[in-house]
Amino acid sequence: MQIYQANIMYTPERQHFEVVPRGFIAVSDGKVEGVYQKLPPHLADCPVTDLGDRLLIPAMNDMHVHAPQVHNQGVAMDLELLPWLQNYTFPEESKYADVQYAERMYRRFLHTQWLFGTMRSVVFGTVHTESTRILMKLYQKAGMGALVGKVAMNRNCPDALCEDVEAAVEGNEQLIAEFNQPDALVRPIITPRFVPSCTPELLKACGKLAAKYQLPVQSHLSENTSEIAWVAELEKESTSYGDAYNRYGLFGQTPTIMAHCVWTNGSELELMKRNRVMVAHCPTSNFNLSSGLAPVRTFLDEDLPIGLGSDISGGHDLNMFRMLVYAIQVSKMHYQHDKSKAFLTLPEIFWIATKSAGSFFGKVGSFEPGYDFDALVIDDTVLYPAEYSLLHRLERFIYLGDDRQIVARYCQGRLIPDPMDITLV
């Protein structure tokens, strides 16, 4: 048993923070045993790590990120989705045929995630099996949790990224055989890029893989109006963009997360609710690519699972704490158009980023008993006057802080060092 003493804050419910000043959290075998204001007798003889006046909070979860796009961060932010893909994203991803380039870029990517306290991620790789294997091994060696997808695409993309159905299935099955272990921190996720890049045959094959191996699914949904119109042309038998995935077994038949959902409503929203499809809200990407303002309050009101994503490099920032800020700002813009839809509060968005997002990985994102101890230690001394409350200190860190205030990072109870120094064997 390991016990930490600090100012503990987490959101077991979305309406409020649980705040335990100078409290104790007991961790056994990587899981939270309990949070206490005073140590109970059965823990009296256990060693205590005193973190002083620092904040102890759940770690961040990035629910939608494109690891191979890290080199393009902050580039071509004046384009909309489809020209951005053709002119910048696809050329960059083509470079990942070179495994040495892939390893160099993926190390940089994991280092940046680590800096900002992201301990779990849902990640797009590329079509390249070997490069995707390197990414998964780096996550394994780092001790950081991830669902990593070898991307499937076979139309409306450059020849260098176009893979036939048989090769896509074979590559996925190689990774599944190697990494699909029960309760593993790093596992595969079936990843059709989006409907326009996948023929019906490839979508059907992806659905069969998900069902055969009971693997989760990730993709993009209703991000951009031009994209939605394109899907309607390609999938004429579908009643909505979401229904196009559903017809191929890729929409909640196994755990599913769909990024963006900016224009999701009506029958598509109802289908997501029935199938318990999670939304990955990506506010910076939706701004940068001129996609729109996702209706997050509606998703919450409809009890739809939701998390936050950086969506590098449509989004420009891997700091997930910034995503909390941007998500609140998006909701305030919605409020200006519809006063019946209250904007998001700090506890709500913190809950979305931690416990709600973490539910996609299991018991992750809270300090309730039985949850994995994924945690960040925050030394915010330079940010706050002494008279500020703990919640105001956390809020100031979310809005003003950066990686310099994160002094320790834990995943499943293990202290996670900088992954830049990982050795791959």
Side-chain angles (χ1 to χ4, degrees):
M1 186 79 69
Q2 178 63 57
I3 299 173
Y4 302 90
Q5 185 176 19
N7 296 307
I8 300 168
M9 284 179 280
Y10 60 106
T11 44
E13 299 173 356
R14 69 179 171 100
Q15 291 85 2
H16 75 278
F17 279 95
E18 189 76 22
V19 180
V20 188
R22 294 290 291 142
F24 300 87
I25 184 166
V27 179
S28 177
D29 294 327
K31 296 186 181 296
V32 176
E33 187 267 351
V35 174
Y36 307 95
Q37 186 63 74
K38 294 183 178 180
L39 279 179
H42 74 280
L43 298 177
D45 296 329
C46 295
V48 175
T49 300
D50 189 347
L51 300 172
D53 195 38
R54 293 166 173 169
L55 311 179
L56 183 65
I57 63 174
M60 289 292 104
N61 307 291
D62 191 340
M63 304 309 289
H64 180 70
V65 60
H66 293 261
Q69 295 176 23
V70 65
H71 188 61
N72 278 354
Q73 269 185 269
V75 172
M77 295 289 91
D78 55 350
L79 296 178
E80 290 191 21
L81 172 65
L82 298 181
W84 172 81
L85 280 172
Q86 293 294 335
N87 295 318
Y88 289 89
T89 300
F90 289 158
E92 176 62 22
E93 291 191 8
S94 298
K95 297 177 184 178
Y96 283 73
D98 179 347
V99 293
Q100 292 182 329
Y101 182 81
E103 182 175 342
R104 185 166 72 251
M105 290 297 106
Y106 284 152
R107 283 180 184 274
R108 180 188 300 178
F109 169 73
L110 260 70
H111 168 71
T112 308
Q113 284 199 309
W114 174 87
L115 280 177
F116 293 127
T118 299
M119 292 291 105
R120 308 273 181 147
S121 305
V122 182
V123 190
F124 275 62
T126 63
V127 300
H128 309 101
T129 302
E130 290 306 313
S131 291
T132 305
R133 176 180 283 112
I134 287 171
L135 177 58
M136 298 179 82
K137 283 188 170 294
L138 285 170
Y139 270 117
Q140 277 188 334
K141 291 281 188 176
M144 296 158 61
L147 294 166
V148 179
K150 170 184 153 52
V151 172
M153 52 198 301
N154 69 340
R155 66 175 173 181
N156 297 316
C157 61
D159 290 344
L161 295 175
C162 191
E163 188 175 44
D164 64 40
V165 175
E166 292 76 14
V169 170
E170 181 181 353
N172 267 287
E173 290 198 314
Q174 288 178 23
L175 297 174
I176 291 166
E178 185 172 352
F179 293 98
N180 191 30
Q181 306 300 322
D183 301 320
L185 260 175
V186 181
R187 297 180 62 226
I189 183 169
I190 301 302
T191 307
R193 187 179 207 109
F194 68 155
V195 168
S197 70
C198 301
T199 62
E201 293 76 19
L202 183 55
L203 290 168
K204 187 181 297 184
C206 286
K208 288 182 176 179
L209 280 171
K212 179 179 179 180
Y213 297 102
Q214 285 301 289
L215 287 172
V217 171
Q218 65 173 340
S219 196
H220 302 83
L221 180 68
S222 297
E223 178 178 1
N224 177 282
T225 54
S226 298
E227 168 204 15
I228 294 168
W230 194 8
V231 171
E233 291 179 7
L234 294 169
E235 289 286 329
K236 295 184 185 300
E237 295 181 13
S238 299
T239 58
S240 68
Y241 195 162
D243 184 51
Y245 289 114
N246 190 55
R247 291 173 58 241
Y248 298 106
L250 296 166
F251 209 63
Q253 289 79 8
T254 60
T256 300
I257 187 161
M258 289 283 162
H260 305 297
C261 306
V262 173
W263 302 99
T264 291
N265 55 35
S267 63
E268 183 172 90
L269 179 59
E270 290 301 315
L271 183 59
M272 292 185 78
K273 286 171 57 179
R274 283 199 305 274
N275 292 8
R276 301 302 295 164
V277 174
M278 179 176 277
V279 175
H281 176 39
C282 306
T284 55
S285 175
N286 294 340
F287 285 151
N288 291 337
L289 300 179
S290 191
S291 297
L293 306 176
V296 176
R297 172 59 65 190
T298 297
F299 297 152
L300 284 178
D301 290 346
E302 298 291 340
D303 192 32
L304 204 63
I306 184 168
L308 295 178
S310 67
D311 194 24
I312 294 298
S313 66
H316 59 274
D317 198 340
L318 272 166
N319 184 347
M320 290 306 298
F321 289 103
R322 295 286 186 267
M323 298 309 114
L324 277 70
V325 175
Y326 297 135
I328 289 174
Q329 292 172 338
V330 167
S331 73
K332 288 182 173 180
M333 293 302 97
H334 266 295
Y335 178 72
Q336 293 305 312
H337 296 287
D338 183 357
K339 294 294 195 292
S340 70
K341 297 293 186 183
F343 53 78
L344 297 173
T345 64
L346 187 67
E348 285 179 317
I349 198 60
F350 194 86
W351 176 86
I352 286 171
T354 56
K355 185 175 179 179
S356 178
S359 68
F360 203 73
F361 305 100
K363 283 194 168 185
V364 171
S366 184
F367 290 155
E368 297 162 74
Y371 274 69
D372 286 355
F373 185 64
D374 287 18
L376 306 177
V377 180
I378 311 298
D379 185 349
D380 62 331
T381 307
V382 300
L383 297 177
Y384 77 96
E387 69 271 14
Y388 274 10
S389 71
L390 290 176
L391 283 178
H392 281 157
R393 286 172 56 183
L394 177 59
E395 185 175 24
R396 281 175 68 89
F397 168 71
I398 290 170
Y399 275 81
L400 304 178
D402 57 37
D403 59 284
R404 291 171 295 180
Q405 286 81 54
I406 305 175
V407 296
R409 303 147 180 88
Y410 294 87
C411 185
Q412 283 191 340
R414 292 184 292 272
L415 183 65
I416 305 300
D418 189 340
M420 278 296 284
D421 300 325
I422 290 170
T423 300
L424 289 182
V425 178

